Amino acid sequence: MTPTQERLQDIKKNGYQIDFANVFNHAFENYKKIALYAGLVLFIFSVLFVIFIGVSLVSVMGVTAMTRELSPEKLKVENLSESNFLVFGSIALIVSCILSPFQAAFLKMAHCGDRDEEFHISDLFGYYKLPYLKEIIISTFLISAIGFAQATLLSYVHFELLGKVITYFISYITLLVSPLIIFGDLKAIEAMKYSILIIFKQPFVILGLIIVAFIGSLVGFIGCCIGVFFTLPFLYSMNYAIYNAIVGIDAQEIE
């Protein structure tokens, strides 16, 4: 049994203590180390991704058809046909799965920043390899599919707000899935199970930390919206700091 598994078993039996101020300070100090690098990476790759999607859509649909089909009015949920709703949902699910290993790399960046270790551009794609790739994609697919399915079902009975609340709740209780996979070397289902268990042991403290991190990440919208790329990494730092405070990271379990 690995140190992580032993720690998780102890958490399951005895719970854990987490200090709001210590975790916040750890997350903020870590954020200061990675903010510029992570912000530049997010900005550059977001621009490249938007260009790629735009060029692909123009190539497939043409400018006129793309402008018509992707107009804000047509993209409203109430105006989408059942088939288009499923198509857009499926595309969003696929994109989430494809990008999830890339997003997980920002947790590794936070870890390197915490240890004052060098992080290379190639490390951004380090989780597009087995066994991490399979487990990250499986967990992302399951979480996203469950969220999409319940939101779709509730939208048909006109409970859209409840669907959004449940979607956020699912994201919250699966907050630690990615770090449990990449730092704890857990399988997807096991990581989901332990993430839920950990969150429910101290739900209000962790929720408070996430809300503070979310508000902090939105500061980038003030003045110039481009700043959000440089404040968004605070969420990754907070995720890392929460996991590190609760479970801890054994150097022998990560690459």
Side-chain angles (χ1 to χ4, degrees):
M1 185 177 289
T2 66
T4 295
Q5 290 172 330
E6 291 177 355
R7 174 61 177 150
L8 291 173
Q9 288 298 316
D10 182 60
I11 289 172
K12 185 177 181 180
K13 293 178 181 178
N14 306 312
Y16 61 89
Q17 297 298 319
I18 182 171
D19 184 273
F20 186 100
N22 287 343
V23 175
F24 175 82
N25 290 334
H26 184 193
F28 187 67
E29 291 302 317
N30 181 264
Y31 163 72
K32 290 192 292 185
K33 295 179 180 180
I34 69 169
L36 181 59
Y37 192 5
L40 287 172
V41 168
L42 284 170
F43 175 71
I44 293 171
F45 278 89
S46 295
V47 170
L48 293 176
F49 183 73
V50 169
I51 292 173
F52 172 76
I53 294 297
V55 171
S56 300
L57 289 174
V58 169
S59 301
V60 174
M61 303 173 61
V63 176
T64 304
M66 183 187 73
T67 304
R68 182 176 63 252
E69 293 298 324
L70 299 182
S71 64
E73 189 64 28
K74 275 209 165 190
L75 288 177
K76 289 182 179 179
V77 175
E78 59 268 22
N79 294 332
L80 287 174
S81 65
E82 185 175 323
S83 58
N84 283 343
F85 189 79
L86 291 175
V87 168
F88 282 119
S90 299
I91 291 173
L93 183 59
I94 292 170
V95 171
S96 295
C97 290
I98 292 173
L99 293 181
S100 54
F102 180 75
Q103 293 177 315
F106 287 93
L107 294 172
K108 178 67 178 295
M109 184 187 294
H111 176 67
C112 290
D114 193 38
R115 302 294 177 89
D116 294 319
E117 297 174 354
E118 193 171 357
F119 184 87
H120 304 94
I121 290 294
S122 59
D123 292 330
L124 289 167
F125 307 98
Y127 295 119
Y128 284 96
K129 62 182 181 181
L130 297 175
Y132 302 108
L133 178 63
K134 183 182 72 171
E135 303 305 330
I136 291 172
I137 288 182
I138 289 174
S139 62
T140 301
F141 176 82
L142 291 174
I143 294 167
S144 301
I146 292 170
F148 177 70
Q150 65 82 25
T152 302
L153 178 62
L154 290 173
S155 70
Y156 279 117
V157 293
H158 305 292
F159 284 108
E160 291 86 355
L161 180 59
L162 178 60
K164 290 180 180 179
V165 171
I166 294 175
T167 298
Y168 291 136
F169 179 72
I170 292 171
S171 298
Y172 169 60
I173 62 176
T174 56
L175 173 72
L176 300 177
V177 169
S178 288
L180 282 166
I181 290 173
I182 65 176
F183 297 134
D185 201 26
L186 267 61
K187 300 296 184 182
I189 301 299
E190 193 178 15
M192 292 171 65
K193 180 185 73 174
Y194 276 112
S195 177
I196 295 170
L197 183 148
I198 290 170
I199 296 298
F200 276 120
K201 290 287 186 180
Q202 293 278 3
F204 300 113
V205 177
I206 296 177
L207 180 61
L209 288 166
I210 293 302
I211 290 174
V212 169
F214 179 72
I215 293 173
S217 69
L218 294 181
V219 172
F221 281 113
I222 299 174
C224 181
C225 289
I226 195 173
V228 75
F229 291 104
F230 296 92
T231 54
L232 190 60
F234 188 39
L235 283 171
Y236 294 108
S237 287
M238 182 61 76
N239 195 346
Y240 169 80
I242 291 172
Y243 177 83
N244 193 43
I246 297 171
V247 182
I249 299 174
D250 183 65
Q252 296 180 349
E253 292 183 307
I254 63 171
E255 294 184 6

